[in-house]
Amino acid sequence: MNENQEDGTGRRLLAAVSFLSLAVGIAIGCGGSGSSSPPQADFDFSVNPSGLSVTVGTISPAVVVEVSEQNGFADTVNVAINGLPPGSFSKPPVPLAIPSNGSQRVTFFIPPSAPAGSLSIELEATSGTISHSATLNVTVTPVSGTAVLQESSGQAPVSTIEFQGVTAGNFNPAYWQNNSLNWVPDVREPMFAALTTSPYQNIYAPWPLEQQTGWRMFYGGWDGSDTPNDRVYSVTTSDFLTFNNRTLVIDHGAFQHVNNVNVQQLPDGSLHMMCTGGTYDGLSWPTYFSSPDGVSWNGSPEPYQAQLADIAVIKGYSDYSAGGFNGGNVLFWDNDWVLYFYDNFNNNHIFRATGASPQTVQFQGLALATGRDPNAVVKFTIGDTWYLMGLNTPGLTYSLSKDGVTFSSEQALFNSLSSSDTFIDSVSFVTHGDQLLGVLYGANASPPEGPPIYPNQIYARWLQKKVVITDSAGVQYFAQSSYGPDRQWFQAPASGSLEGTMVVYAEDGITPLGSSLVTLTAGKSYTLVLQ
C-alpha cells in the first residue's frame, strides 16, 4: 500500500467514524426524549396556622387544612388525625375528605379530662399510593378561674340565661383597624318604636348624648304626630332598657322637615344641634339650634318652631346655593366647630368646614371620598387621638382618622338582621367616657315587604365581650342576643341546666380575658367579674 492509498483509507475511516458518531448522537438524543416518563401527579399538603392554644374543656380556634394539586392531580385526599388526647375529637370528624385544590376548616374539642401541656398532632394525608403529613403544635392551657360569675337580679326569661357585666372595654383602635368586633344584636326589634297615637309612626336618626346620669337620646321623624312632617324629639335613659321624659324638642316650623339630628355638649352645659332642614321647595340645608340648658332652644322654650333663619352658612363652598345637604350634616366640637357634610348633588364626597360658630363655617376641603352620608363623628384619646366616623346607605360603614381632617378607607360595620331592618338609613355611636358601647340605627323593611309607608324604627347592636360556654360533650353555647349594652342572653338547654367551661374574650372576639368552670340555671342572671 502506498502513501496515497493509506491517506485515502484513513480519510474514509475517519468519515465513517464521524458519521457513526453523529448517528449515535441523534439516536441517543431522540431515544432519550421519547423514553422519559412524565412527572408524577402529586399534591402539596399543609395546615395553617401550624400552632395554636386552647383551654382545656373547650373547642380550639379553627385551622385550615389545605390540599394543592401538582402536575394535574385531581383526586380526593383523605386526612387522618393522630395524637389527640382521649375524649378529643375534630369538627368535622375524621377522616376528612378534601378535593384537589381544596381546603377544610377544622376545630378540635379538648375535653376537661385532658392534661395541660403541649401536644403534637399529626395530620396524615393519603390518596392512593401518595401520602404527605403535617404537624400541628397545640398548647393546652388549664382553666384560669379568673372569670367569675356571681348570681344577681335580672330580667332573664324562663328559658334564658342572662349575663351582666359584658360591656366593651376602652376604645381599642387595633380592634377597629382589624375589623374584628363582636356586635350582639339587641333582642328588641326594634329597641325603640314610635308612638302609636296616630298613623304617622316613622322615627330614625337617633343621637345618644351622654349625660351624668345616662343619656339623652335625640331622634327625628314622626313620633305619632298629627302630620307627616319630620320633627326632633328626645327621651332620657340610664340603661337603654327604659326610656323617660319623651318630648318634642324642635318642631318643623317654617320647614317641611327637620331631621338627621346630632348634638354636641360643651363643658359649660350648653347644647349645640345640627339637623337637616328640608324646605318646601325640595331643597335641604344644614340647620343649627343651640340651648344653654337643654330646655330652651334659640331663645324659645321647647318645642322650638324652626325658622329659615336657622339655616347654617358654608362660606367658600361653590355649590352651597344648590341646597343638596340632605342626610349628612355632622357637627363636632374639636377646640373649634367642625361641620362634616355630604352634598347630594356632588356625590362621592364628604367635605369639612370649620368656624368659631356653627351658624357660619368656612369650607376647608375633602374629608373622605365616598358615596355615603356621614351620620356621626366621635373622638377618643387613649394614648393617641382617634376619630371615628359612622356612615350609611348603602350599608353601614366606618372610617378612622388620626387628625379629624382626612379619614381612611371605609370598613363594613355590620349588615341587616332580618326583614324588619333591611334598609338602614342612619347610624350613631353610644359612648360612655372612653368606651364605645354600641351602635343605634334607624331602619325599615324595604320594598316590597313593608306597608305603603315604610316606617322606620330604632334598632341597636351592642359591642360586648364574647362569652363562649362548652359543655362536656363539646357543644358550644353563644349569646343569642343582648338586652341593652351590658347584658347578654343565652338559650338554655332543654334540661334547664348548663354545665361546662366558660371562656371570656374581649370585644374583638379573639383576645382571651379569662376562663372558669360554670354551672348555670335557666331563668337566672349572673354578673361577670374578671379577676
Side-chain angles (χ1 to χ4, degrees):
M1 182 179 296
N2 62 33
E3 183 176 346
N4 290 334
Q5 288 175 323
E6 291 176 355
D7 183 65
T9 302
R11 285 196 297 270
R12 287 193 296 271
L13 180 60
L14 179 61
V17 171
S18 298
F19 176 79
L20 180 61
S21 298
L22 177 62
V24 171
I26 293 173
I28 292 173
C30 296
S33 175
S35 63
S36 64
S37 59
Q40 182 181 5
D42 200 350
F43 61 87
D44 283 334
F45 180 64
S46 64
V47 57
N48 186 51
S50 60
L52 57 81
S53 178
V54 56
T55 300
V56 65
T58 69
I59 293 177
S60 74
V63 298
V64 177
V65 180
E66 186 171 13
V67 172
S68 302
E69 66 87 17
Q70 284 187 338
N71 304 323
F73 178 84
D75 294 330
T76 297
V77 175
N78 295 311
V79 180
I81 300 175
N82 302 307
L84 288 170
S88 301
F89 57 82
S90 67
K91 291 185 178 182
V94 292
L96 309 175
I98 303 177
S100 61
N101 283 330
S103 63
Q104 176 69 62
R105 289 173 59 87
V106 182
T107 59
F108 302 94
F109 171 62
I110 307 298
S113 59
S118 298
L119 296 175
S120 182
I121 298 175
E122 293 296 323
L123 291 84
E124 300 287 343
T126 59
S127 180
T129 60
I130 307 172
S131 65
H132 296 285
S133 65
T135 301
L136 175 64
N137 296 309
V138 177
T139 301
V140 179
T141 60
V143 174
S144 67
T146 56
V148 177
L149 292 180
Q150 300 173 348
E151 192 169 333
S152 58
S153 60
Q155 288 134 329
V158 175
S159 61
T160 298
I161 299 169
E162 180 180 87
F163 281 8
Q164 302 176 19
V166 292
T167 55
N170 286 348
F171 179 80
N172 188 321
Y175 298 164
W176 290 80
Q177 289 173 307
N178 296 332
N179 199 5
S180 56
L181 301 167
N182 186 49
W183 296 108
V184 185
D186 198 290
V187 68
R188 298 161 293 171
E189 294 186 41
M191 179 199 73
F192 187 79
L195 293 174
T196 59
T197 51
S198 85
Y200 302 116
Q201 304 165 30
N202 182 57
I203 58 173
Y204 59 102
W207 185 270
L209 181 68
E210 185 180 357
Q211 305 286 278
Q212 288 185 347
T213 58
W215 293 265
R216 183 176 180 182
M217 186 181 78
F218 295 86
Y219 57 98
W222 318 335
D223 196 12
S225 55
D226 56 355
T227 63
N229 300 92
D230 286 358
R231 301 161 168 89
V232 175
Y233 305 84
S234 75
V235 292
T236 58
T237 181
S238 61
D239 51 13
F240 291 96
L241 302 180
T242 58
F243 299 90
N244 301 294
N245 303 311
R246 198 165 190 153
T247 186
L248 174 62
V249 180
I250 306 293
D251 207 343
H252 69 96
F255 293 87
Q256 184 176 13
H257 301 292
V258 178
N259 208 328
N260 304 310
V261 55
N262 57 93
V263 184
Q264 297 283 292
Q265 186 167 25
L266 298 189
D268 64 4
S270 62
L271 275 62
H272 302 264
M273 176 190 299
M274 191 67 74
C275 297
T276 297
T279 50
Y280 284 94
D281 57 4
L283 302 183
S284 299
W285 307 92
T287 307
Y288 169 65
F289 311 97
S290 65
S291 172
D293 53 12
V295 177
S296 63
W297 295 85
N298 288 13
S300 298
E302 56 190 21
Y304 171 71
Q305 300 294 320
Q307 305 298 317
L308 296 181
D310 301 324
I311 293 175
V313 176
I314 307 174
K315 290 185 174 181
Y317 182 61
S318 59
D319 293 329
Y320 174 80
S321 60
F325 303 98
N326 183 32
N329 298 290
V330 179
L331 185 64
F332 185 69
W333 172 253
D334 198 18
N335 300 317
D336 201 358
W337 288 110
V338 182
L339 177 66
Y340 298 97
F341 66 93
Y342 181 85
D343 184 347
N344 290 268
F345 301 144
N346 189 357
N347 292 332
N348 303 320
H349 292 89
I350 293 174
F351 298 105
R352 178 176 171 271
T354 61
S357 167
Q359 190 75 51
T360 302
V361 290
Q362 179 68 42
F363 177 70
Q364 298 297 332
L366 181 69
L368 178 63
T370 180
R372 295 179 176 87
D373 294 331
N375 289 151
V377 174
V378 293
K379 177 183 176 181
F380 297 94
T381 302
I382 301 175
D384 295 330
T385 297
W386 291 88
Y387 298 80
L388 174 66
M389 178 184 288
L391 308 96
N392 86 87
T393 309
L396 289 184
T397 64
Y398 65 90
S399 175
L400 294 166
S401 173
K402 294 297 295 293
D403 57 12
V405 176
T406 58
F407 285 77
S408 61
S409 298
E410 297 165 80
Q411 298 188 72
L413 194 58
F414 49 71
N415 297 317
S416 300
L417 279 173
S418 64
S419 60
S420 63
D421 70 342
T422 52
F423 184 79
I424 300 175
D425 54 27
S426 56
V427 62
S428 62
F429 299 114
V430 180
T431 61
H432 177 58
D434 290 330
Q435 296 171 279
L436 193 148
L437 303 184
V439 165
L440 305 183
Y441 61 99
N444 63 65
S446 62
E449 298 168 337
I453 297 176
Y454 309 109
N456 289 283
Q457 310 289 358
I458 295 173
Y459 296 78
R461 306 269 184 106
W462 302 109
L463 184 60
Q464 296 181 334
K465 297 177 179 66
K466 183 177 181 179
V467 180
V468 182
I469 302 169
T470 308
D471 69 14
S472 59
V475 178
Q476 288 187 305
Y477 294 82
F478 302 89
Q480 300 298 304
S481 57
S482 56
Y483 182 51
D486 194 40
R487 303 181 189 217
Q488 286 180 7
W489 285 1
F490 290 74
Q491 182 65 45
S495 65
S497 178
L498 176 57
E499 184 175 348
T501 303
M502 178 183 71
V503 179
V504 181
Y505 302 89
E507 62 271 20
D508 65 343
I510 299 171
T511 305
L513 301 178
S515 59
S516 64
L517 300 176
V518 296
T519 299
L520 308 170
T521 302
K524 290 191 175 182
S525 298
Y526 304 87
T527 297
L528 173 66
V529 179
L530 294 171
Q531 298 179 337

